[in-house]
Amino acid sequence: MTFNVKSKLLTSLAACVLLAACSDEIVNEPTELDDVESQFEIDVRWSESVGEGADDKFNDLTPAVWNNYIITADIEGLVTAFDRESGDIQWEVQLNEPLSGGISANAGLVAIGSKKAKVIVLNVEDGSELWRADVSSEVLAKPAIEGTKVIVRTADGRIFALDSTDGDQEWFYDRVIPSLTIRGTSAPLATNGIVLTGFANGKLAAFNIDSGDLLWEQRVSSPRGSSDISRIVDVDTTPVLYGNTLYGAGYNGFAIAMDLTNGRYLWREELSTVKDLLVDTLRVYAVTTDGTVVAINRTTGDVAWKQEGLKYRSPTAAAELGDNLVVGDFEGYVHFLDKSSGEFVARDHLDDYGFAHKPIVTDDEVILTSRFGFMYVFNKVEEDSDE
C-alpha cells in the first residue's frame, strides 16, 4: 500500500507505520496456511503473458471481458485482446503511454486511464484508437462507460464526464482531497442516470450523470485519532448496487448499506478495507486491510462469519464462483471458501509471484493476472460422484 502525500517525510512515516517497521523485521508475519482437503480441482485451460507486470508498483489494470474477448493492459501501454476459449491474440496495440487506471469495456468501447493524465478509448473489435483526452491528473481506477459518456475519476479528487464519441468534456466535479491519502481512487459506478463514487475525505456521493449536479453525499468513514496517519479515511472501493440498495466501504471506517435514492443509512458495520466488496442475495463479502475475509448479512448488517486464515497474506478482493468465493494471495495461491461458512474448501498454487487484482469470474471460468504479467484462465472441476 502506498500513499499520495505532499511530503517525502510523510511517505516514509506512513510506510513505516502501516507496512513494516523501520528495520528488517516485518511487523505482521503472513499467516501460515493450514492444510486443506480440496473438494475439487481446477483445470488451467490456458495462460499467457499480458506484457510488463506491475511487480510492486500500484495500478488497477484488472482485465475486462467483452463477449468472447479478454482485454488486458500492461504498465507500459500494451493492450491485448485474447480469445476467451483458446487464448489466441485477436488484436494488440501499443499506446506508448504508461497505464494505471484499469480497463473498462462496454458498448463497443475500451476505456483506459494513464499515469500521465490521459484517457484513451479504443474500438473493442480491432483495438483501433478512437480518441484520447487530457484530464487533470493520473487515473488510478477504471473509467465507467454508460450511454454516451465515459466517466473518469482522477487522483486529485475530480470526476470528468467525457463524450464517448470524441472525448469532449461535458462536465467535471472538483473535490479537495486531504494531504495524506491512500494511493488509489474509487472507480465510478454509472447506472440509471446516476454516477456514484467515493472520496478521500471518507464520503460517498451521487451525481446526475447528465449535468454533474451533486444529488447527495454520505459519510462512510470519520477521521479518528490524533495523528495524520490514524485519521486517513479514504474510500477507494467501487460502490456496489443491488436492487435499490447501495453498498460501500472505506479505510478506517465502515461497511455500509444505504438507500440509493437519498443516501440514507440502512445499516453500518465497523470495518476497514480498500478492496471492492462482493454482494449476493444473502451477504456482503469484504476483505479487510489485515486480510480477514468477512461476510455480513445483506439486509441486517450483522456479521455472519469471519475467516482469518489469510491475514497479512495480501489477499485480493473476493469474486463469486457458484457456492464459493475465490481469492488470490501474494504467494500465488488461489483460495476457495464456502460462502455460507467461510471455511476453505480448496486451494491451488498457480504463480510464483503472487496476485494483486481481484479475480474475474465469467460463466464458470476464473481469470487471474499475476504481479509479473501472466494471466491464468481456469475452471473448477467437480469430482465425479459416481466414481
Short mmCIF file of all heavy atoms in Angstrom, two decimals, residues 266-297:
data_model
loop_
_atom_site.label_atom_id
_atom_site.label_comp_id
_atom_site.label_asym_id
_atom_site.label_seq_id
_atom_site.Cartn_x
_atom_site.Cartn_y
_atom_site.Cartn_z
N LEU A 266 -29.02 2.36 5.90
CA LEU A 266 -29.85 1.23 6.29
C LEU A 266 -29.15 0.43 7.39
O LEU A 266 -29.79 -0.07 8.29
CB LEU A 266 -30.12 0.33 5.08
CG LEU A 266 -30.83 1.04 3.91
CD1 LEU A 266 -30.99 0.09 2.73
CD2 LEU A 266 -32.18 1.59 4.36
N TRP A 267 -27.83 0.31 7.31
CA TRP A 267 -27.03 -0.24 8.40
C TRP A 267 -25.56 0.14 8.19
O TRP A 267 -25.17 0.52 7.10
CB TRP A 267 -27.19 -1.76 8.55
CG TRP A 267 -26.93 -2.62 7.33
CD1 TRP A 267 -27.86 -3.22 6.54
CD2 TRP A 267 -25.65 -3.00 6.78
NE1 TRP A 267 -27.26 -3.93 5.54
CE2 TRP A 267 -25.91 -3.84 5.66
CE3 TRP A 267 -24.32 -2.74 7.12
CZ2 TRP A 267 -24.88 -4.38 4.88
CZ3 TRP A 267 -23.30 -3.28 6.34
CH2 TRP A 267 -23.59 -4.10 5.24
N ARG A 268 -24.78 0.03 9.27
CA ARG A 268 -23.33 0.24 9.24
C ARG A 268 -22.66 -0.82 10.10
O ARG A 268 -23.15 -1.16 11.16
CB ARG A 268 -22.95 1.62 9.78
CG ARG A 268 -23.48 2.80 9.00
CD ARG A 268 -22.75 4.07 9.38
NE ARG A 268 -22.73 4.34 10.82
CZ ARG A 268 -22.02 5.30 11.39
NH1 ARG A 268 -21.25 6.08 10.66
NH2 ARG A 268 -22.06 5.49 12.69
N GLU A 269 -21.53 -1.33 9.61
CA GLU A 269 -20.74 -2.28 10.38
C GLU A 269 -19.28 -1.83 10.32
O GLU A 269 -18.74 -1.62 9.24
CB GLU A 269 -20.87 -3.69 9.80
CG GLU A 269 -19.97 -4.73 10.42
CD GLU A 269 -20.25 -4.98 11.89
OE1 GLU A 269 -21.42 -4.85 12.29
OE2 GLU A 269 -19.30 -5.32 12.63
N GLU A 270 -18.66 -1.65 11.49
CA GLU A 270 -17.28 -1.16 11.52
C GLU A 270 -16.36 -2.12 10.79
O GLU A 270 -16.34 -3.34 11.06
CB GLU A 270 -16.83 -0.98 12.96
CG GLU A 270 -15.50 -0.25 13.07
CD GLU A 270 -15.20 0.22 14.47
OE1 GLU A 270 -16.05 0.03 15.36
OE2 GLU A 270 -14.11 0.79 14.67
N LEU A 271 -15.57 -1.57 9.88
CA LEU A 271 -14.73 -2.39 9.01
C LEU A 271 -13.80 -1.48 8.24
O LEU A 271 -14.16 -0.36 7.89
CB LEU A 271 -15.63 -3.19 8.04
CG LEU A 271 -15.01 -4.18 7.07
CD1 LEU A 271 -15.95 -5.38 6.88
CD2 LEU A 271 -14.79 -3.52 5.72
N SER A 272 -12.58 -1.94 7.97
CA SER A 272 -11.61 -1.16 7.20
C SER A 272 -11.15 -1.95 6.00
O SER A 272 -10.64 -3.07 6.14
CB SER A 272 -10.41 -0.80 8.08
OG SER A 272 -9.43 -0.10 7.33
N THR A 273 -11.32 -1.39 4.81
CA THR A 273 -10.89 -2.08 3.60
C THR A 273 -10.60 -1.09 2.48
O THR A 273 -11.14 0.02 2.47
CB THR A 273 -11.96 -3.09 3.12
OG1 THR A 273 -11.44 -3.84 2.02
CG2 THR A 273 -13.24 -2.38 2.68
N VAL A 274 -9.74 -1.51 1.56
CA VAL A 274 -9.53 -0.77 0.31
C VAL A 274 -9.85 -1.67 -0.88
O VAL A 274 -9.62 -1.29 -2.02
CB VAL A 274 -8.08 -0.24 0.20
CG1 VAL A 274 -7.81 0.81 1.26
CG2 VAL A 274 -7.07 -1.37 0.30
N LYS A 275 -10.39 -2.87 -0.60
CA LYS A 275 -10.73 -3.83 -1.65
C LYS A 275 -12.23 -3.78 -1.92
O LYS A 275 -13.04 -3.62 -1.01
CB LYS A 275 -10.33 -5.25 -1.22
CG LYS A 275 -8.87 -5.40 -0.79
CD LYS A 275 -7.94 -5.33 -1.97
CE LYS A 275 -6.48 -5.42 -1.54
NZ LYS A 275 -6.14 -6.69 -0.90
N ASP A 276 -12.60 -3.97 -3.19
CA ASP A 276 -14.01 -3.91 -3.56
C ASP A 276 -14.82 -4.98 -2.86
O ASP A 276 -14.36 -6.12 -2.64
CB ASP A 276 -14.16 -4.08 -5.08
CG ASP A 276 -13.79 -2.82 -5.85
OD1 ASP A 276 -13.58 -1.77 -5.20
OD2 ASP A 276 -13.70 -2.89 -7.08
N LEU A 277 -16.06 -4.63 -2.54
CA LEU A 277 -16.99 -5.57 -1.92
C LEU A 277 -17.58 -6.50 -2.97
O LEU A 277 -17.60 -6.20 -4.16
CB LEU A 277 -18.14 -4.80 -1.24
CG LEU A 277 -17.77 -3.78 -0.18
CD1 LEU A 277 -19.03 -3.08 0.31
CD2 LEU A 277 -17.03 -4.44 0.98
N LEU A 278 -18.09 -7.63 -2.48
CA LEU A 278 -18.88 -8.55 -3.29
C LEU A 278 -20.23 -8.68 -2.62
O LEU A 278 -20.30 -8.85 -1.39
CB LEU A 278 -18.18 -9.91 -3.39
CG LEU A 278 -18.99 -11.05 -4.02
CD1 LEU A 278 -19.24 -10.79 -5.49
CD2 LEU A 278 -18.26 -12.38 -3.82
N VAL A 279 -21.30 -8.62 -3.39
CA VAL A 279 -22.65 -8.70 -2.83
C VAL A 279 -23.43 -9.78 -3.57
O VAL A 279 -23.43 -9.82 -4.80
CB VAL A 279 -23.39 -7.34 -2.96
CG1 VAL A 279 -24.79 -7.43 -2.34
CG2 VAL A 279 -22.59 -6.22 -2.28
N ASP A 280 -24.10 -10.66 -2.80
CA ASP A 280 -25.01 -11.62 -3.41
C ASP A 280 -26.37 -11.51 -2.73
O ASP A 280 -26.63 -10.54 -1.98
CB ASP A 280 -24.45 -13.04 -3.39
CG ASP A 280 -24.33 -13.64 -1.98
OD1 ASP A 280 -24.88 -13.06 -1.03
OD2 ASP A 280 -23.67 -14.69 -1.84
N THR A 281 -27.26 -12.45 -2.95
CA THR A 281 -28.63 -12.34 -2.43
C THR A 281 -28.67 -12.33 -0.90
O THR A 281 -29.59 -11.76 -0.31
CB THR A 281 -29.50 -13.49 -2.94
OG1 THR A 281 -28.88 -14.75 -2.58
CG2 THR A 281 -29.65 -13.42 -4.45
N LEU A 282 -27.69 -12.96 -0.25
CA LEU A 282 -27.73 -13.10 1.20
C LEU A 282 -26.73 -12.23 1.94
O LEU A 282 -27.03 -11.75 3.04
CB LEU A 282 -27.47 -14.57 1.59
CG LEU A 282 -28.50 -15.59 1.10
CD1 LEU A 282 -28.06 -16.99 1.52
CD2 LEU A 282 -29.88 -15.28 1.66
N ARG A 283 -25.54 -12.00 1.35
CA ARG A 283 -24.46 -11.42 2.13
C ARG A 283 -23.65 -10.39 1.35
O ARG A 283 -23.68 -10.36 0.12
CB ARG A 283 -23.50 -12.52 2.63
CG ARG A 283 -24.17 -13.61 3.44
CD ARG A 283 -23.19 -14.72 3.80
NE ARG A 283 -23.91 -15.90 4.27
CZ ARG A 283 -24.32 -16.88 3.48
NH1 ARG A 283 -24.06 -16.86 2.18
NH2 ARG A 283 -24.99 -17.91 3.99
N VAL A 284 -22.90 -9.61 2.11
CA VAL A 284 -21.86 -8.73 1.59
C VAL A 284 -20.53 -9.30 2.06
O VAL A 284 -20.36 -9.59 3.26
CB VAL A 284 -22.03 -7.29 2.12
CG1 VAL A 284 -20.91 -6.39 1.61
CG2 VAL A 284 -23.39 -6.73 1.73
N TYR A 285 -19.58 -9.46 1.14
CA TYR A 285 -18.28 -10.05 1.48
C TYR A 285 -17.21 -8.98 1.32
O TYR A 285 -17.14 -8.30 0.29
CB TYR A 285 -17.98 -11.24 0.57
CG TYR A 285 -19.07 -12.29 0.57
CD1 TYR A 285 -20.09 -12.24 -0.39
CD2 TYR A 285 -19.09 -13.31 1.51
CE1 TYR A 285 -21.09 -13.19 -0.39
CE2 TYR A 285 -20.09 -14.27 1.50
CZ TYR A 285 -21.09 -14.20 0.55
OH TYR A 285 -22.09 -15.14 0.54
N ALA A 286 -16.36 -8.87 2.34
CA ALA A 286 -15.28 -7.87 2.33
C ALA A 286 -13.97 -8.54 2.71
O ALA A 286 -13.95 -9.47 3.53
CB ALA A 286 -15.59 -6.74 3.30
N VAL A 287 -12.87 -8.04 2.13
CA VAL A 287 -11.52 -8.44 2.54
C VAL A 287 -10.90 -7.22 3.19
O VAL A 287 -10.67 -6.20 2.55
CB VAL A 287 -10.69 -8.92 1.33
CG1 VAL A 287 -9.28 -9.27 1.78
CG2 VAL A 287 -11.35 -10.11 0.65
N THR A 288 -10.65 -7.32 4.49
CA THR A 288 -10.23 -6.16 5.26
C THR A 288 -8.75 -5.84 5.02
O THR A 288 -8.03 -6.60 4.38
CB THR A 288 -10.46 -6.38 6.76
OG1 THR A 288 -9.57 -7.40 7.23
CG2 THR A 288 -11.90 -6.80 7.02
N THR A 289 -8.31 -4.72 5.58
CA THR A 289 -6.93 -4.29 5.36
C THR A 289 -5.92 -5.24 5.98
O THR A 289 -4.75 -5.24 5.56
CB THR A 289 -6.72 -2.87 5.93
OG1 THR A 289 -7.22 -2.82 7.27
CG2 THR A 289 -7.44 -1.84 5.09
N ASP A 290 -6.31 -6.05 6.95
CA ASP A 290 -5.37 -7.03 7.51
C ASP A 290 -5.52 -8.40 6.86
O ASP A 290 -4.82 -9.35 7.23
CB ASP A 290 -5.51 -7.13 9.03
CG ASP A 290 -6.81 -7.79 9.49
OD1 ASP A 290 -7.62 -8.22 8.65
OD2 ASP A 290 -7.02 -7.87 10.73
N GLY A 291 -6.43 -8.54 5.87
CA GLY A 291 -6.57 -9.79 5.15
C GLY A 291 -7.67 -10.71 5.67
O GLY A 291 -7.82 -11.83 5.16
N THR A 292 -8.43 -10.29 6.65
CA THR A 292 -9.55 -11.08 7.12
C THR A 292 -10.69 -11.01 6.11
O THR A 292 -11.01 -9.93 5.60
CB THR A 292 -10.06 -10.56 8.49
OG1 THR A 292 -8.99 -10.64 9.44
CG2 THR A 292 -11.23 -11.39 8.99
N VAL A 293 -11.29 -12.16 5.81
CA VAL A 293 -12.46 -12.19 4.94
C VAL A 293 -13.69 -12.19 5.83
O VAL A 293 -13.81 -13.02 6.73
CB VAL A 293 -12.45 -13.42 4.02
CG1 VAL A 293 -13.61 -13.36 3.04
CG2 VAL A 293 -11.13 -13.54 3.27
N VAL A 294 -14.60 -11.24 5.57
CA VAL A 294 -15.77 -11.06 6.43
C VAL A 294 -17.03 -11.16 5.58
O VAL A 294 -17.11 -10.58 4.49
CB VAL A 294 -15.74 -9.68 7.13
CG1 VAL A 294 -16.95 -9.50 8.04
CG2 VAL A 294 -14.46 -9.50 7.91
N ALA A 295 -18.02 -11.89 6.10
CA ALA A 295 -19.34 -11.97 5.47
C ALA A 295 -20.36 -11.28 6.37
O ALA A 295 -20.42 -11.55 7.58
CB ALA A 295 -19.74 -13.42 5.23
N ILE A 296 -21.15 -10.40 5.78
CA ILE A 296 -22.13 -9.60 6.52
C ILE A 296 -23.51 -9.86 5.93
O ILE A 296 -23.68 -9.88 4.70
CB ILE A 296 -21.79 -8.10 6.42
CG1 ILE A 296 -20.38 -7.83 6.96
CG2 ILE A 296 -22.82 -7.24 7.15
CD1 ILE A 296 -19.88 -6.43 6.67
N ASN A 297 -24.50 -10.05 6.80
CA ASN A 297 -25.87 -10.22 6.34
C ASN A 297 -26.28 -8.99 5.53
O ASN A 297 -26.17 -7.86 6.00
CB ASN A 297 -26.80 -10.41 7.53
CG ASN A 297 -28.23 -10.70 7.12
OD1 ASN A 297 -28.91 -9.81 6.59
ND2 ASN A 297 -28.68 -11.91 7.34
#
